[in-house]
Short mmCIF file of all heavy atoms in Angstrom, two decimals:
data_model
loop_
_atom_site.label_atom_id
_atom_site.label_comp_id
_atom_site.label_asym_id
_atom_site.label_seq_id
_atom_site.Cartn_x
_atom_site.Cartn_y
_atom_site.Cartn_z
N ARG A 1 60.44 -13.56 41.02
CA ARG A 1 61.00 -14.69 40.28
C ARG A 1 62.52 -14.71 40.43
O ARG A 1 63.19 -13.71 40.15
CB ARG A 1 60.62 -14.58 38.80
CG ARG A 1 60.89 -15.82 37.97
CD ARG A 1 60.28 -15.63 36.57
NE ARG A 1 60.13 -16.89 35.86
CZ ARG A 1 61.03 -17.40 35.03
NH1 ARG A 1 62.16 -16.74 34.81
NH2 ARG A 1 60.82 -18.55 34.43
N PHE A 2 63.05 -15.85 40.89
CA PHE A 2 64.50 -16.01 40.94
C PHE A 2 65.01 -16.49 39.59
O PHE A 2 64.28 -17.12 38.82
CB PHE A 2 64.88 -17.00 42.05
CG PHE A 2 65.06 -16.35 43.39
CD1 PHE A 2 63.96 -15.85 44.08
CD2 PHE A 2 66.32 -16.21 43.96
CE1 PHE A 2 64.12 -15.24 45.31
CE2 PHE A 2 66.49 -15.61 45.19
CZ PHE A 2 65.39 -15.11 45.87
N ASP A 3 66.27 -16.18 39.30
CA ASP A 3 66.83 -16.51 37.99
C ASP A 3 66.80 -18.00 37.70
O ASP A 3 66.37 -18.44 36.64
CB ASP A 3 68.27 -15.99 37.88
CG ASP A 3 68.32 -14.49 37.68
OD1 ASP A 3 67.27 -13.84 37.81
OD2 ASP A 3 69.42 -13.97 37.42
N ASP A 4 67.31 -18.79 38.65
CA ASP A 4 67.36 -20.24 38.48
C ASP A 4 66.19 -20.85 39.24
O ASP A 4 66.29 -21.16 40.43
CB ASP A 4 68.70 -20.78 39.01
CG ASP A 4 68.87 -22.28 38.74
OD1 ASP A 4 67.88 -22.94 38.39
OD2 ASP A 4 70.00 -22.78 38.87
N THR A 5 65.08 -21.05 38.54
CA THR A 5 63.88 -21.56 39.21
C THR A 5 63.95 -23.05 39.48
O THR A 5 63.00 -23.62 40.03
CB THR A 5 62.62 -21.23 38.38
OG1 THR A 5 62.80 -21.72 37.04
CG2 THR A 5 62.36 -19.73 38.36
N THR A 6 65.05 -23.69 39.09
CA THR A 6 65.27 -25.08 39.47
C THR A 6 65.93 -25.14 40.84
O THR A 6 65.48 -25.86 41.74
CB THR A 6 66.16 -25.80 38.44
OG1 THR A 6 65.51 -25.78 37.16
CG2 THR A 6 66.39 -27.24 38.84
N ALA A 7 66.98 -24.36 41.03
CA ALA A 7 67.66 -24.30 42.33
C ALA A 7 66.81 -23.58 43.37
O ALA A 7 66.79 -23.95 44.54
CB ALA A 7 69.01 -23.60 42.18
N LEU A 8 66.13 -22.53 42.94
CA LEU A 8 65.26 -21.73 43.81
C LEU A 8 63.89 -21.62 43.15
O LEU A 8 63.65 -20.70 42.37
CB LEU A 8 65.86 -20.35 44.03
CG LEU A 8 66.97 -20.25 45.07
CD1 LEU A 8 67.83 -19.03 44.82
CD2 LEU A 8 66.37 -20.19 46.47
N PRO A 9 62.98 -22.55 43.43
CA PRO A 9 61.67 -22.54 42.78
C PRO A 9 60.74 -21.45 43.33
O PRO A 9 59.64 -21.73 43.82
CB PRO A 9 61.13 -23.94 43.06
CG PRO A 9 61.78 -24.33 44.35
CD PRO A 9 63.15 -23.72 44.32
N ILE A 10 61.21 -20.22 43.25
CA ILE A 10 60.42 -19.07 43.70
C ILE A 10 59.95 -18.33 42.46
O ILE A 10 60.72 -17.62 41.80
CB ILE A 10 61.23 -18.16 44.63
CG1 ILE A 10 61.64 -18.93 45.89
CG2 ILE A 10 60.43 -16.91 44.99
CD1 ILE A 10 62.54 -18.16 46.84
N ASP A 11 58.69 -18.51 42.13
CA ASP A 11 58.10 -17.97 40.89
C ASP A 11 56.63 -17.76 41.18
O ASP A 11 55.78 -18.54 40.74
CB ASP A 11 58.33 -18.98 39.77
CG ASP A 11 58.11 -18.38 38.37
OD1 ASP A 11 58.00 -17.14 38.26
OD2 ASP A 11 58.04 -19.15 37.40
N TYR A 12 56.30 -16.69 41.94
CA TYR A 12 54.97 -16.53 42.52
C TYR A 12 54.44 -15.10 42.39
O TYR A 12 55.21 -14.15 42.35
CB TYR A 12 55.03 -16.85 44.02
CG TYR A 12 55.39 -18.25 44.37
CD1 TYR A 12 56.64 -18.55 44.91
CD2 TYR A 12 54.49 -19.31 44.20
CE1 TYR A 12 56.99 -19.85 45.27
CE2 TYR A 12 54.81 -20.61 44.56
CZ TYR A 12 56.06 -20.87 45.09
OH TYR A 12 56.40 -22.16 45.43
N PRO A 13 53.12 -15.00 42.43
CA PRO A 13 52.53 -13.67 42.54
C PRO A 13 52.74 -13.14 43.95
O PRO A 13 52.87 -13.90 44.91
CB PRO A 13 51.04 -13.93 42.27
CG PRO A 13 50.82 -15.35 42.69
CD PRO A 13 52.10 -16.06 42.34
N ILE A 14 52.81 -11.83 44.06
CA ILE A 14 52.90 -11.16 45.36
C ILE A 14 51.56 -10.50 45.64
O ILE A 14 51.05 -9.73 44.81
CB ILE A 14 53.99 -10.09 45.38
CG1 ILE A 14 55.35 -10.68 44.98
CG2 ILE A 14 54.09 -9.43 46.76
CD1 ILE A 14 56.43 -9.63 44.73
N LEU A 15 50.97 -10.81 46.79
CA LEU A 15 49.70 -10.21 47.16
C LEU A 15 49.90 -9.26 48.34
O LEU A 15 50.92 -9.30 49.02
CB LEU A 15 48.67 -11.29 47.51
CG LEU A 15 48.21 -12.13 46.32
CD1 LEU A 15 49.01 -13.42 46.24
CD2 LEU A 15 46.74 -12.43 46.39
N GLN A 16 48.92 -8.42 48.57
CA GLN A 16 48.95 -7.54 49.74
C GLN A 16 47.55 -7.45 50.31
O GLN A 16 46.61 -7.05 49.63
CB GLN A 16 49.46 -6.15 49.38
CG GLN A 16 49.63 -5.24 50.62
CD GLN A 16 50.12 -3.86 50.24
OE1 GLN A 16 49.66 -3.28 49.25
NE2 GLN A 16 51.03 -3.30 51.03
N GLY A 17 47.42 -7.86 51.58
CA GLY A 17 46.13 -7.83 52.23
C GLY A 17 45.96 -6.61 53.11
O GLY A 17 46.90 -5.81 53.29
N VAL A 18 44.79 -6.48 53.69
CA VAL A 18 44.51 -5.39 54.61
C VAL A 18 45.41 -5.50 55.83
O VAL A 18 45.88 -4.50 56.38
CB VAL A 18 43.02 -5.40 55.03
CG1 VAL A 18 42.75 -4.32 56.06
CG2 VAL A 18 42.13 -5.21 53.81
N THR A 19 45.65 -6.75 56.27
CA THR A 19 46.59 -7.01 57.36
C THR A 19 47.58 -8.08 56.90
O THR A 19 47.39 -8.70 55.84
CB THR A 19 45.87 -7.50 58.64
OG1 THR A 19 45.42 -8.84 58.43
CG2 THR A 19 44.68 -6.60 58.97
N ASP A 20 48.58 -8.34 57.71
CA ASP A 20 49.57 -9.36 57.35
C ASP A 20 49.05 -10.78 57.60
O ASP A 20 49.76 -11.75 57.33
CB ASP A 20 50.88 -9.12 58.11
CG ASP A 20 51.59 -7.87 57.64
OD1 ASP A 20 51.39 -7.48 56.48
OD2 ASP A 20 52.34 -7.27 58.44
N ASP A 21 47.84 -10.89 58.13
CA ASP A 21 47.23 -12.20 58.32
C ASP A 21 46.36 -12.61 57.13
O ASP A 21 45.99 -13.79 57.01
CB ASP A 21 46.36 -12.23 59.58
CG ASP A 21 47.19 -12.13 60.85
OD1 ASP A 21 48.35 -12.59 60.83
OD2 ASP A 21 46.69 -11.60 61.86
N THR A 22 46.04 -11.65 56.27
CA THR A 22 45.08 -11.90 55.20
C THR A 22 45.48 -13.09 54.33
O THR A 22 44.66 -13.97 54.03
CB THR A 22 44.92 -10.66 54.31
OG1 THR A 22 44.55 -9.53 55.13
CG2 THR A 22 43.84 -10.89 53.26
N TYR A 23 46.74 -13.15 53.91
CA TYR A 23 47.18 -14.22 53.01
C TYR A 23 48.19 -15.16 53.67
O TYR A 23 48.90 -15.88 52.99
CB TYR A 23 47.77 -13.61 51.74
CG TYR A 23 46.70 -12.99 50.88
CD1 TYR A 23 46.52 -11.61 50.86
CD2 TYR A 23 45.82 -13.78 50.15
CE1 TYR A 23 45.50 -11.03 50.10
CE2 TYR A 23 44.80 -13.22 49.40
CZ TYR A 23 44.65 -11.85 49.38
OH TYR A 23 43.62 -11.30 48.64
N LEU A 24 48.20 -15.16 55.00
CA LEU A 24 49.10 -16.04 55.73
C LEU A 24 48.77 -17.50 55.46
O LEU A 24 49.66 -18.34 55.29
CB LEU A 24 49.01 -15.75 57.23
CG LEU A 24 50.01 -16.46 58.13
CD1 LEU A 24 51.43 -16.00 57.83
CD2 LEU A 24 49.67 -16.21 59.60
N ARG A 25 47.48 -17.83 55.41
CA ARG A 25 47.03 -19.20 55.13
C ARG A 25 45.95 -19.22 54.06
O ARG A 25 45.08 -20.08 54.05
CB ARG A 25 46.48 -19.84 56.42
CG ARG A 25 47.50 -20.00 57.52
CD ARG A 25 48.60 -20.97 57.18
NE ARG A 25 49.59 -21.13 58.26
CZ ARG A 25 50.70 -21.84 58.17
NH1 ARG A 25 50.99 -22.45 57.03
NH2 ARG A 25 51.53 -21.93 59.19
N THR A 26 46.03 -18.29 53.15
CA THR A 26 45.04 -18.18 52.07
C THR A 26 45.76 -18.01 50.74
O THR A 26 46.73 -17.26 50.65
CB THR A 26 44.12 -16.96 52.30
OG1 THR A 26 43.49 -17.10 53.58
CG2 THR A 26 43.06 -16.86 51.23
N ASN A 27 45.30 -18.72 49.71
CA ASN A 27 45.99 -18.62 48.42
C ASN A 27 45.40 -17.52 47.55
O ASN A 27 44.50 -16.78 47.97
CB ASN A 27 45.97 -19.98 47.69
CG ASN A 27 44.59 -20.37 47.19
OD1 ASN A 27 43.62 -19.62 47.28
ND2 ASN A 27 44.49 -21.57 46.65
N LEU A 28 45.91 -17.42 46.36
CA LEU A 28 45.51 -16.38 45.41
C LEU A 28 44.01 -16.38 45.16
O LEU A 28 43.39 -15.34 44.93
CB LEU A 28 46.26 -16.60 44.10
CG LEU A 28 45.90 -15.70 42.91
CD1 LEU A 28 46.51 -14.32 43.11
CD2 LEU A 28 46.41 -16.31 41.61
N TYR A 29 43.40 -17.57 45.22
CA TYR A 29 41.98 -17.73 44.89
C TYR A 29 41.07 -17.55 46.11
O TYR A 29 39.87 -17.81 46.03
CB TYR A 29 41.74 -19.09 44.26
CG TYR A 29 42.53 -19.30 42.98
CD1 TYR A 29 43.78 -19.90 43.00
CD2 TYR A 29 42.03 -18.86 41.76
CE1 TYR A 29 44.52 -20.07 41.83
CE2 TYR A 29 42.76 -19.02 40.59
CZ TYR A 29 44.00 -19.62 40.63
OH TYR A 29 44.72 -19.78 39.47
N GLY A 30 41.66 -17.16 47.23
CA GLY A 30 40.86 -16.94 48.43
C GLY A 30 40.53 -18.23 49.16
O GLY A 30 39.68 -18.24 50.05
N GLU A 31 41.24 -19.33 48.82
CA GLU A 31 40.99 -20.62 49.44
C GLU A 31 41.96 -20.84 50.59
O GLU A 31 43.10 -20.37 50.56
CB GLU A 31 41.18 -21.74 48.41
CG GLU A 31 40.28 -21.62 47.21
CD GLU A 31 40.72 -22.50 46.04
OE1 GLU A 31 41.93 -22.86 46.00
OE2 GLU A 31 39.88 -22.82 45.19
N PRO A 32 41.53 -21.57 51.63
CA PRO A 32 42.44 -21.85 52.75
C PRO A 32 43.52 -22.84 52.34
O PRO A 32 43.23 -23.95 51.88
CB PRO A 32 41.51 -22.46 53.81
CG PRO A 32 40.34 -23.01 53.04
CD PRO A 32 40.17 -22.11 51.86
N TYR A 33 44.79 -22.44 52.47
CA TYR A 33 45.93 -23.28 52.11
C TYR A 33 47.00 -23.15 53.18
O TYR A 33 47.29 -22.04 53.64
CB TYR A 33 46.53 -22.86 50.76
CG TYR A 33 45.96 -23.59 49.57
CD1 TYR A 33 44.59 -23.57 49.31
CD2 TYR A 33 46.78 -24.32 48.73
CE1 TYR A 33 44.07 -24.24 48.23
CE2 TYR A 33 46.25 -24.99 47.63
CZ TYR A 33 44.89 -24.95 47.38
OH TYR A 33 44.37 -25.63 46.31
N THR A 34 47.58 -24.28 53.57
CA THR A 34 48.65 -24.26 54.57
C THR A 34 49.80 -23.37 54.12
O THR A 34 50.37 -22.62 54.90
CB THR A 34 49.18 -25.68 54.81
OG1 THR A 34 48.10 -26.51 55.28
CG2 THR A 34 50.31 -25.69 55.83
N ALA A 35 50.13 -23.45 52.84
CA ALA A 35 51.26 -22.68 52.30
C ALA A 35 50.96 -21.19 52.18
O ALA A 35 51.87 -20.38 52.04
CB ALA A 35 51.68 -23.24 50.94
N GLY A 36 49.69 -20.83 52.20
CA GLY A 36 49.34 -19.42 52.07
C GLY A 36 49.80 -18.83 50.75
O GLY A 36 49.80 -19.50 49.72
N SER A 37 50.22 -17.57 50.78
CA SER A 37 50.69 -16.86 49.59
C SER A 37 51.97 -16.11 49.93
O SER A 37 52.32 -15.92 51.10
CB SER A 37 49.64 -15.86 49.11
OG SER A 37 48.43 -16.49 48.75
N ILE A 38 52.65 -15.67 48.91
CA ILE A 38 53.73 -14.70 49.08
C ILE A 38 53.07 -13.33 49.17
O ILE A 38 52.26 -12.97 48.31
CB ILE A 38 54.70 -14.73 47.88
CG1 ILE A 38 55.30 -16.13 47.70
CG2 ILE A 38 55.80 -13.69 48.07
CD1 ILE A 38 56.09 -16.64 48.87
N PHE A 39 53.37 -12.57 50.22
CA PHE A 39 52.65 -11.30 50.37
C PHE A 39 53.54 -10.18 50.87
O PHE A 39 54.52 -10.39 51.59
CB PHE A 39 51.43 -11.47 51.29
CG PHE A 39 51.73 -11.91 52.70
CD1 PHE A 39 51.91 -10.98 53.72
CD2 PHE A 39 51.84 -13.27 53.01
CE1 PHE A 39 52.17 -11.40 55.02
CE2 PHE A 39 52.10 -13.69 54.31
CZ PHE A 39 52.27 -12.76 55.31
N LEU A 40 53.17 -8.98 50.45
CA LEU A 40 53.88 -7.75 50.80
C LEU A 40 53.38 -7.23 52.14
O LEU A 40 52.17 -7.30 52.44
CB LEU A 40 53.65 -6.71 49.71
CG LEU A 40 54.23 -5.31 49.91
CD1 LEU A 40 55.76 -5.34 49.86
CD2 LEU A 40 53.69 -4.34 48.83
N GLU A 41 54.29 -6.72 52.96
CA GLU A 41 53.94 -6.08 54.22
C GLU A 41 52.79 -5.10 53.99
O GLU A 41 52.82 -4.27 53.07
CB GLU A 41 55.16 -5.36 54.78
CG GLU A 41 54.90 -4.30 55.81
CD GLU A 41 54.35 -4.87 57.11
OE1 GLU A 41 54.86 -5.90 57.58
OE2 GLU A 41 53.40 -4.25 57.64
N SER A 42 51.75 -5.19 54.82
CA SER A 42 50.55 -4.38 54.61
C SER A 42 50.82 -2.89 54.77
O SER A 42 50.08 -2.06 54.21
CB SER A 42 49.45 -4.81 55.60
OG SER A 42 49.88 -4.66 56.94
N ALA A 43 51.88 -2.52 55.48
CA ALA A 43 52.20 -1.10 55.68
C ALA A 43 53.02 -0.51 54.54
O ALA A 43 53.23 0.70 54.49
CB ALA A 43 52.94 -0.91 57.00
N ASN A 44 53.50 -1.36 53.62
CA ASN A 44 54.24 -0.87 52.46
C ASN A 44 53.30 -0.33 51.39
O ASN A 44 52.12 -0.71 51.33
CB ASN A 44 55.09 -1.98 51.85
CG ASN A 44 56.44 -2.15 52.51
OD1 ASN A 44 56.83 -3.26 52.88
ND2 ASN A 44 57.17 -1.06 52.67
N SER A 45 53.83 0.53 50.52
CA SER A 45 53.05 1.02 49.38
C SER A 45 52.80 -0.14 48.42
O SER A 45 53.69 -0.95 48.16
CB SER A 45 53.80 2.13 48.65
OG SER A 45 54.03 3.23 49.51
#
């Protein structure tokens, strides 16, 4: 979450898939979405 969510509307869950493709075009609910999800590098803890 960024401080000013009006100037920077970044206010999202962070997901982590088995690979970096898992949530590239998939949303939180497992549905196909062009925007995908915000996700953590799969090799990170």
Side-chain angles (χ1 to χ4, degrees):
R1 192 172 197 267
F2 273 70
D3 284 10
D4 186 346
T5 53
T6 299
L8 279 158
I10 298 176
D11 196 12
Y12 296 107
I14 304 170
L15 291 96
Q16 185 181 41
V18 176
T19 72
D20 291 334
D21 291 330
T22 304
Y23 290 103
L24 187 65
R25 298 294 181 185
T26 302
N27 70 5
L28 174 76
Y29 300 93
E31 302 164 337
Y33 268 58
T34 300
S37 299
I38 302 299
F39 61 93
L40 176 68
E41 162 66 44
S42 60
N44 275 130
S45 299

